[in-house]
Amino acid sequence: MARDFNAMDDYRRRLAEGAADAPEPSAAVGQQPPTGGEPATVLAMGAEDKWLVAVIGAVLGVGVGFLLPWLGTLAARFPIPFAGPIEFLSSFEAPVLVVLRPVIGAVVGLVVAAVVIAGSPRITVSDGEILIAKGDDERRIERGQVAGVYREGSTLVIDSVEGRQLYKGDVEAPRAAVRDAFVAHGYRWEMVDRKA
């Protein structure tokens, strides 16, 4: 495991580097006793991110709809995944279908976006527990089970006192917000986040 993050050392380093706007260190970095008054923090995909995923899904679907005839000729020449259905769908040249292909593509793109949004985890951090909800599944991790929390790339890792991983998965929130959520509730954050 990485060493404990020391907020005061980070504050002094930022001041030495000339960061006049370096914020005062919060006493919450590292393991602190829970304050009891802090409301639960929810780490989840925000409304803007959901809209962005939906728009990207729809745009990609429309693009595939427009490119379907070209993909059909490509599927006829080369072995690509789903070659049969692509050839079948691109074989229709009726004027109505030329218009409907992008519309159907947009609908399919929105359905895929909805699946992605529904599958993104929602992590609720409170002083006493961490609740991880993904779709209809919920997992509760009691505070006493948690030895440390850190990031591994874009993945959030929660380690147990026994040294096993209680959770390893994505979290839909900015890096600093994830760190701040855990340290505000007194969990041991075990990573020096140099991008913060």
Side-chain angles (χ1 to χ4, degrees):
M1 288 187 191
R3 68 177 181 83
D4 288 347
F5 181 71
N6 187 320
M8 189 54 84
D9 289 345
D10 183 58
Y11 176 66
R12 288 184 186 125
R13 180 186 53 78
R14 287 184 187 185
L15 282 178
E17 291 173 355
D21 62 339
E24 286 289 331
S26 69
V29 177
Q31 188 169 7
Q32 301 291 325
T35 60
E38 191 74 29
T41 306
V42 177
L43 303 170
M45 187 180 287
E48 292 176 359
D49 295 331
K50 290 178 182 177
W51 277 107
L52 182 64
V53 169
V55 167
I56 289 172
V59 167
L60 288 175
V62 168
V64 169
F66 275 120
L67 295 175
L68 201 56
W70 177 75
L71 290 172
T73 59
L74 194 65
R77 292 184 191 157
F78 303 105
I80 63 171
F82 308 107
I86 291 174
E87 284 182 70
F88 175 73
L89 291 172
S90 64
S91 65
F92 298 105
E93 293 299 328
V96 174
L97 287 175
V98 171
V99 173
L100 279 180
R101 274 195 292 251
V103 173
I104 293 169
V107 171
V108 170
L110 287 172
V111 169
V112 170
V115 169
V116 168
I117 291 168
S120 69
R122 178 182 173 90
I123 300 173
T124 306
V125 183
S126 66
D127 291 346
E129 65 184 9
I130 302 166
L131 180 65
I132 302 166
K134 193 169 185 181
D136 293 335
D137 298 328
E138 284 189 359
R139 182 167 177 209
R140 194 173 306 273
I141 301 173
E142 298 294 328
R143 179 185 185 80
Q145 296 176 288
V146 179
V149 184
Y150 58 96
R151 296 288 293 253
E152 222 174 62
S154 64
T155 304
L156 176 71
V157 181
I158 302 173
D159 283 339
S160 74
V161 178
E162 296 86 22
R164 62 185 180 90
Q165 291 181 345
L166 297 171
Y167 176 76
K168 183 174 183 178
D170 294 330
V171 58
E172 300 293 338
R175 296 179 75 85
V178 173
R179 182 197 63 219
D180 293 346
F182 282 96
V183 297
H185 292 283
Y187 292 92
R188 183 183 298 273
W189 185 259
E190 298 187 337
M191 179 177 179
V192 177
D193 194 354
R194 302 194 188 281
K195 294 182 181 178

